[in-house]
Amino acid sequence: MTRAFRWLALISLVLTGYFAIEGHWLDLITDQVSIAGFLQRHGWPGFAAIILLSALFTGFGGPRQALAFVLGFATGSVEGTVISTLATALGATGCFYAARWLLRAPLLHRFDLRMQRFDSLFTEGTLLKILMIRLLPVGSNLVTNLLAGCSGIRFAPFLLGSVLGYLPQMVIFAMAGAGIGQAHLNQFLVSAVLFALASAIGAYLYHNQRNQALADSVSDPS
């Protein structure tokens, strides 16, 4: 891939994302009533279109929690969880490979030593570390996707860790959206419990990784 083509593709993606957000091209994804009507009118082709639009929405940095909430309202908690998780995984895949193809080579050329250090941090235990990042209710989905693509980590553990890490919050927000549509208070209570559980798992993984790193540093011969 030539440098000129790489920069042209990168600029095109950035401009597409900017106009998609500023031009409200993806507003349908944030309107639960419009999505519900769209799916009723178009059936399975409508589901495919919503998945594609949702992948673009999260791929350009749209909040996956909002997507799960809207789809939970429009389709129900189970369907909303599955569709929003699939769409977010597709968006993450697009970001990962866009960064891998367009950004990694220039960054390696300019920041070779720093990139090697970054790679060494995530090449071991990739799945667990990506899972930890996804489970914690903080951070940017877009930034994580781009950083992972710029690194040298393998795609399979990145995707699997992402999907597993997405699921708890997707379940939470899809159930919350379905709870509003169906007026089931119990779903809000379960959502709160799941949110607390996801936070606790993420915190445990974080401390486990930190303690392991500390043990490794102590055991290294001086």
Side-chain angles (χ1 to χ4, degrees), residues 79-132:
E79 294 88 345
T81 298
V82 172
I83 296 172
S84 60
T85 302
L86 173 60
T88 305
L90 290 174
T93 298
C95 282
F96 180 94
Y97 279 112
R100 179 64 54 89
W101 293 334
L102 302 177
L103 296 176
R104 179 164 170 78
L107 289 175
L108 276 174
H109 178 73
R110 188 173 181 86
F111 306 106
D112 182 50
L113 183 59
R114 293 182 182 178
M115 290 296 293
Q116 289 180 16
R117 291 175 178 171
F118 184 83
D119 285 355
S120 66
L121 180 64
F122 279 91
T123 49
E124 293 294 332
T126 300
L127 190 152
L128 187 63
K129 290 173 182 176
I130 294 297
L131 176 61
M132 176 189 69

Side-chain angles (χ1 to χ4, degrees), residues 36 49 75 89 125 145 169:
T75 65
N145 295 336
Q169 284 193 30

Side-chain angles (χ1 to χ4, degrees), residues 1-14 101-103 106:
M1 184 181 297
T2 65
R3 181 179 298 181
F5 179 80
R6 182 184 293 116
W7 280 109
L8 179 62
L10 180 60
I11 292 171
S12 299
L13 281 175
V14 171
W101 293 334
L102 302 177
L103 296 176

Side-chain angles (χ1 to χ4, degrees), residues 17-210:
Y18 173 79
F19 286 114
I21 295 171
E22 293 298 321
H24 306 288
W25 297 353
L26 301 175
D27 279 3
L28 172 66
I29 299 302
T30 62
D31 188 334
Q32 56 263 40
V33 176
S34 296
I35 285 185
F38 182 85
L39 293 176
Q40 287 179 357
R41 291 192 303 271
H42 298 285
W44 286 110
F47 275 94
I50 289 299
I51 290 173
L52 177 59
L53 288 174
S54 299
L56 292 173
F57 176 75
T58 57
F60 286 131
R64 57 188 173 88
Q65 296 90 344
L67 176 65
F69 182 90
V70 169
L71 289 174
F73 178 94
T75 65
S77 58
V78 176
E79 294 88 345
T81 298
V82 172
I83 296 172
S84 60
T85 302
L86 173 60
T88 305
L90 290 174
T93 298
C95 282
F96 180 94
Y97 279 112
R100 179 64 54 89
W101 293 334
L102 302 177
L103 296 176
R104 179 164 170 78
L107 289 175
L108 276 174
H109 178 73
R110 188 173 181 86
F111 306 106
D112 182 50
L113 183 59
R114 293 182 182 178
M115 290 296 293
Q116 289 180 16
R117 291 175 178 171
F118 184 83
D119 285 355
S120 66
L121 180 64
F122 279 91
T123 49
E124 293 294 332
T126 300
L127 190 152
L128 187 63
K129 290 173 182 176
I130 294 297
L131 176 61
M132 176 189 69
I133 293 171
R134 298 305 195 189
L135 282 174
L136 289 171
V138 293
S140 167
N141 183 50
L142 175 61
V143 171
T144 301
N145 295 336
L146 293 176
L147 287 176
C150 289
S151 74
I153 66 175
R154 293 185 298 118
F155 173 70
F158 163 79
L159 182 63
L160 181 57
S162 294
V163 171
L164 293 176
Y166 287 149
L167 276 172
Q169 284 193 30
M170 294 313 214
V171 171
I172 293 166
F173 285 92
M175 290 181 68
I180 287 180
Q182 302 168 17
H184 287 171
L185 179 61
N186 288 340
Q187 291 190 337
F188 287 102
L189 298 177
V190 173
S191 296
V193 172
L194 286 174
F195 187 81
L197 178 61
S199 300
I201 293 173
Y204 167 77
L205 290 172
Y206 170 79
H207 288 295
N208 186 54
Q209 288 294 307
R210 188 178 65 175

